[in-house]
Each structure stands twice: as structure tokens, then as C-alpha cells.
Amino acid sequence: MSSIDTPLVEVRNLTKHFGSVIALNGISMVVKPREVLCLLGDNGAGKSTLINTLAGVHRPTSGDFIVGGKSTTFYSPRDALDAGIATVYQDLAMIPLMSITRNFFMGREPMVGFGPFKRMDMKFADEVTRDEMHKIGIDIRDPQQAVGTLSGGERQCVAIARAVYFGAKVLILDEPTSALGVAQTSMVLKYVNQVRNSGLGVIFITHNVRHAFAVGNRFTVLNRGKTLGTYEKGAISIDELQNLMAGGKELQALSDELGGTI
Amino acid sequence: MSIVADDKIKKTPADERLKKASVATTLLRRPELGAVAGLVLVTVFFLLTANPSMFTLAGIMNFMAPAAQLGILAVGASLLMIGGEYDLSIGSMVAFAGLVFGAALVVWQVPLSVAILIAILMAVVIGVMNSQIVIKTGLPSFIVTLAFLFILRGLTLVGLKWASGGATQLRGMKEAAAGSPLTSIFSGDAFQGLFAWLASNDLIAKFPNGTPQVSGIPVEILWFIVIALLATWVLLRTRFGNWIFAVGGDERAARKSGVPVVRVKTVLFIITALCATLVAVLTVLDAGSTDARRGFQKEFEAIIAAVIGGCLLTGGYGSAIGAFLGSIVFGMVLIGLTYTSIDQDWYLVFLGGMLLVAVMFNNVIRKRVTGER
Ligand SMILES: Nc1ncnc2c1ncn2[C@@H]1O[C@H](COP(=O)(O)OP(=O)(O)O)[C@@H](O)[C@H]1O
Ligand SMILES: [Mg+2]
């Protein structure tokens, strides 16, 4: 039924107001299977608000939201998860006091046993957590240790590994590389590539045009809550994208002033 | 330091960076450590100062009974605190549930089972009310349930006067409940046969006429143990338990991860109201009457017991077994002082002191667990 071109997720003219603040003011965008859509935009452009709306955290003020060809409303993040959309939030959505395993499976706990003896399958959960973390290049010492004891980068990797594990159709990553070192960043980019090749659609949010270029198929640029445009990879250069993101000529001027190092 | 970019490593069963976690470190991770330490301390203290009869079977039942009444509340309160909220209305709720239960028995003269059912339904309604106001308004549960502390206490006074024709006490529940098959579950002593057998074989103390000095285990103690075990199972082994920790640890993160935050909080408020109702049923059937001062200040004692048991005031961390042990500490001190020459009013001083020490101790533990620096 769903051909390769049926978008996994499509939004049309999405708006989101927080009281008098207009965070999104008419966004349109499409994500297809087997592609990485990069969302680019400066701070405050509305990237996080957009993905929070996709993930069911916020309800849109207006606009259409189409998942798998059907108009849909998510009432909670659980609805989005059930629809196969998993998100790595910018704030990670992790609980420092809880163990890595408990965080990994939060809201999706694996169960064993029947009736009143139904319980969390801790052994399985620990194993999966350890394996998935290993795949992303992190050997965790003890899956039962609290997430609060992990470094920022390690936490980021738990969040990514969790979303990849549970994301059945669409994976959303909100600035996943901002807290990572060089090795981990390339690991994540490689991971994004892998996820795309396995047939998922990926929405990859970043500030870093180089990272975007490394994995993206298409680039949607946001500015002040609006889509400035969407560009295929072959149709735009890194520099053009950079300027578009910054909203015009000023950056080019500044870049020249600094000797072209930005 | 901890980033390993080498994906050629296939399996690493033992990580060389994992220092052999010492027994002490593992123990320090347990939230109930403080309560265990407190219990040991208090036990040693009374072993040294109290009349030895405190630690006979009869003496133990003596302090376990008030510990159980408080502990049933404290276990409920600990679940709610781990879930990030407080319920200050549970003390008044004991009185109000006692009134509703008592009135059902002696005024409406319904059977015991129906009276209990009415009390349970009423607890669910109050729990839902507390939770919905907290969730819908976003006000701190501390304030919302403080309001209910007064509302329920006031309603109890008004209701008692109505039910008893002007008095502040309602009597006759024992007679009204007699003969129901449920009576033995909610009142009296359990395992009487076993205790008689133990006495006849000289395994426990008995009176000269051969009957055991302790005729059985008061049912409230059994309820207390069962509820503490059940709560521990739920917390550590079930999906709902994981959700309780998540909701208390960070409500927004929990919601984003698909945890039904509203449902979890609602159920937790219902649980505290139900615990209060159970205490009301047990004590009303035990005394055969109910009055307006039932459960007075029990909300604070329950929270203190939960804190001694390792619950953080900020939520997301704690233990039901800890609250269980914390309540035993309470019972021991309350009753234990009567076995010493110490003035009983030191109890209040102890209560405050214990709370302070526990809170400071928990702060240190939290920093250790989360690696906060
Ligand atoms: N919950 C909120 N309430 C009010 N304003 C918000 C809220 N969330 C985001 N905003 C506003 O919406 C705009 C877009 O924010 P955000 O989506 O976080 O930007 P980005 O992720 O692109 O940096 C900002 O001006 C921000 O202040
Ligand atoms: Mg953002």
C-alpha cells in the first residue's frame, strides 16, 4: 500500500502559539522513508517547538499533521511513540536519579510472568541496554548505575540508543551532537546513516551545517517560526546553506572579516 | 575518558573501569540504609536503658501495634513522595473515613462488607479530588492537601455531631460488626491457634492457667507487613513502580518518554487515601468507636517516617521498606520510653531531631547516587 514515496510524516502550515508568543508560524515539511531530513535554523527559530509538536508534547494551534497518509492528532508523547515516532529531545528527557536501564525502558518496560506475578524483565532490560549502548560505542560499567553519574556525552548516547531501539518508523534527533566529542559525533552520524539505510525516516536537527551535509538528503531551513525553504542535497552548497540559516548577508560579511573561518 | 570509540571490541563482560564495587558502596546505594541505621541505634538504646520486658514477645507486639497504624500510612505516603507529591490530608482522612465507616455501620446499619465498600469508594473520591486539583491547577500538592487537612477534619466534626446527635464521638461499631466473616480480617489477633500451640509446648510465655500471654498477632501488624511488601514489589519490580520513580524524578521527562503522568499521580493519591481508610477501619473496629481526634497529626508522622526511610523531599527516590522500618523506629520510641525512666514528652524532641538528621543524611546519599558534585 505505502509506496516508497508515501511520506512517513507530513506537516502543512503548522502553527503553534504559546500565549502571545508565536513560536511556529506556518511550517510545512515532509519526511519520507529512507531519507534524512535536516532541520536547520538559528536559536529560537522554532526547531525544538516543531519537533515537540511532532512528538506529541505540544498540540499544534493549527495546521495539518499527516502520519502514514492519514490526518492525525497526538494527544501525548505516548501516542507518537505508539505510531513509531521516537525522539531524542534536546533536554534528553532522562531522569538522573534512575538507573540507565530504568531510563532506557521508561514508559516501554519489558515484562515477564503472568497475572499478579507479571514483573519487569530486569535481566533482559539490562542486557538490551548494555548491547545497545555498546553498538553506539559506549561500554557502560553497570546498567544499574544512576544516569546522574554519567557524563553529558554518555547521557546523550543513552538517549540516542533508546530512541533508535524504539523508533520503528521515524527517528527525530534534536541537536544530538551538541554535547559530544569528535569520536562520538562521528559515531552518531554513522548511526544516523545506518538507521536511514535500514528504511527509517530521520529528522536531524543541528546547528552545524557540516554535520547536516554529512548525512542529510534534504535540508529544511527555519527562520522565526517559518520555513524559508527546502533544498535537495545537490541543489545547494554548504556556504549557501550557512548563509540562509543565518538569515542573510551579515554572516558572509562577518566571515570575511574573520578571515573566512566560520 | 569514558568514551570508547572502538567498535571492534565485541563483548566486554567485565569492564576494567568498573572498580569492584565495595560492599559499602553497594549498601550506600540503598535508600533504606538510614532507616536500618536508625533502627539499630534505637534498638541498642532501649536494650541499654529500657526494662528488658520491652523485648519480650508481648513488649514487641506493644510497640509494633502503633508502628503498624502509622506504618500503613507511611508506606502510602512514601509511594506518593517518590512520585513527587505530598498528602497532608491523610491524618484528617483517617478521622473522616472513620466517621463514614462508623456511620454506615451504626446509623445506616449496613453490613460490615458494605460499610467497608462505602469507605473505600469515599477514599477513591477524595483521592481523585486531591489529585485532580493538584494536576489541573498545577499548585503544589502541599497546599492543596493542607486545605483538605482542614476541610476533612471540619467535616468529621460536623458529621460526628450529626451522626451521634450532638456528641463528638460515635460508638457501637464493635457490636454492629460482630458476626461478619470480615470481622476477623480487620480486627482481633491472628494465628491464635498457633500461639496456643506454642504456649502449650512452652515455646512462648504463658499465664499460669496455660493460655499464652500473647494470644496472637494483631491483624494490623499483618496488614502493615503485607502492605509494605506489596508496595516494595510494586516499586521495584513492576511497570507502575518504574513510572512512580519517573514521575517523581522529572515529570516532564517522564511524560516525554510516554509515561502516563496524570494516571500515575491519580492512582498514588487514591492509594494514600485508601491507606488512611484502612487505618480508620482497623482502629475503629479495635476501639469500637470513633472520634474527631482520630489520626491527628498522623500526616506529619507518616511523612517523617517516609523521610527516615530514605524518601527525598524532592521526589524520585525512596523506599517502601524504608518507610516500614522508619515506622518501627517511631513505635519503638513512643512505647519504649514508657519502659524507661525517661519523661515521655521527649518523644516530640526525638521526632524533630530524627527528621533533621534523616533529611541531612538523605541529601548526602542523593549526591552520592547522582554523582552530583
Ligand atoms: N513553552 C514555551 N512557552 C513560551 N514560549 C516558548 C515555549 N517554548 C518555546 N518558546 C519560544 O518559541 C521560540 C522557539 O523556541 P525553540 O523551538 O526552542 O527554538 P530552537 O529550538 O530553534 O532554538 C522561542 O522564542 C521560545 O522562546
Ligand atoms: Mg532547540
Side-chain angles (χ1 to χ4, degrees), chain B residues 62 265 305 311:
Chain B
N62 242 348
K265 291 208 166 175
C311 288

Side-chain angles (χ1 to χ4, degrees), chain A residues 47-48 90 174-175:
Chain A
K47 305 181 298 292
S48 294
Q90 193 164 10
D174 193 354
E175 304 202 16

Side-chain angles (χ1 to χ4, degrees), chain A residues 42-49 51-52 90 174-175 205 207:
Chain A
D42 234 339
N43 285 326
K47 305 181 298 292
S48 294
T49 307
I51 68 97
N52 279 333
Q90 193 164 10
D174 193 354
E175 304 202 16
I205 297 170
H207 263 141

Side-chain angles (χ1 to χ4, degrees), chain B residues 7-84:
Chain B
D7 54 358
K8 275 172 296 204
I9 305 170
K10 274 292 173 287
K11 266 279 186 236
T12 46
D15 192 315
E16 78 287 352
R17 291 165 307 165
L18 177 61
K19 272 190 295 181
K20 271 234 153 41
S22 69
V23 180
T25 321
T26 318
L27 274 180
L28 272 175
R29 263 200 211 163
R30 309 284 328 151
E32 52 273 341
L33 174 75
V36 174
L39 189 61
V40 170
L41 220 74
V42 170
T43 309
V44 170
F45 175 78
F46 283 111
L47 280 172
L48 295 176
T49 60
N51 185 312
S53 65
M54 179 176 169
F55 292 98
T56 61
L57 192 57
I60 290 172
M61 295 300 174
N62 242 348
F63 67 72
M64 280 302 285
Q69 287 174 19
L70 173 63
I72 293 170
L73 298 177
V75 169
S78 72
L79 294 186
L80 184 63
M81 275 179 83
I82 297 170

